[in-house]
Amino acid sequence: MKRMFAVAGLATAMLVTGCQNADDTKATEPALADAAPAGEARTAEAPAANAAAVPAAAPAAPGAAAFAVLYPGATPKGPATAGQSPAGPGGMLEFTTPATPDEVVAFYRQRAEAAGLKPITTLNRDDARAYSAGDGADGSGKLLNVIATPVDGATDVLLTWSNGR
């Protein structure tokens, strides 16, 4: 229960922080590897800014944006929770994966960049990682947040997104 409140608090903090200007965080943002998990095939589904293809993955929920997918090989903890806001439809999905938090964040960073989203904020605290990207204050309201925390040899992930208007 405490972990759930901590994750919810961190997600809220990332959403609030997301309202800041993305240029403020670029200078301090650590570089993450632009790689898919070992053994994953790449597709030409949507080219990233650096011309690398993003790995194929199943949508996190029916109708989810192309950047809101289930990490390859992950196990959902339950069905995605759908939501609606002024920024459009979105949702939340919790899952576990044997991948490291760094691999998880790199995967979602690559998908966000391929979708044209800009980094908003990153978090590296102990072994936990978080990443947030959006299409900017003048955009359609697209937003991606991922929080990856190592737990007992696996990684727990909370993925939230907005498809935009």
Side-chain angles (χ1 to χ4, degrees):
M1 184 68 126
K2 287 182 183 179
R3 185 178 343 134
M4 186 174 153
F5 286 124
V7 168
L10 184 56
T12 301
M14 286 184 66
L15 287 171
V16 171
T17 303
C19 295
Q20 295 178 350
N21 185 350
D23 294 333
D24 294 343
T25 60
K26 273 190 173 179
T28 60
E29 188 174 292
L32 293 174
D34 189 25
E40 289 296 323
R42 294 186 177 271
T43 67
E45 171 182 351
N50 65 2
V54 296
F67 52 83
V69 297
L70 180 63
Y71 188 86
T75 303
K77 290 185 170 186
T81 302
Q84 179 68 37
S85 76
M92 176 176 70
L93 179 65
E94 291 183 89
F95 59 87
T96 59
T97 177
T100 67
D102 285 331
E103 291 170 328
V104 171
V105 168
F107 173 82
Y108 285 104
R109 177 186 301 271
Q110 184 180 24
R111 293 200 73 86
E113 288 173 357
L117 303 181
K118 305 279 188 266
I120 295 171
T121 189
T122 60
L123 171 75
N124 295 337
R125 178 165 173 114
D126 298 325
D127 293 329
R129 302 290 182 261
Y131 172 72
S132 180
D135 63 356
D138 296 330
S140 68
K142 293 179 183 174
L143 183 65
L144 170 74
N145 292 297
V146 60
I147 302 168
T149 308
V151 178
D152 299 328
T155 299
D156 279 352
V157 179
L158 176 63
L159 177 69
T160 59
W161 70 92
S162 171
N163 290 356
R165 297 181 283 284

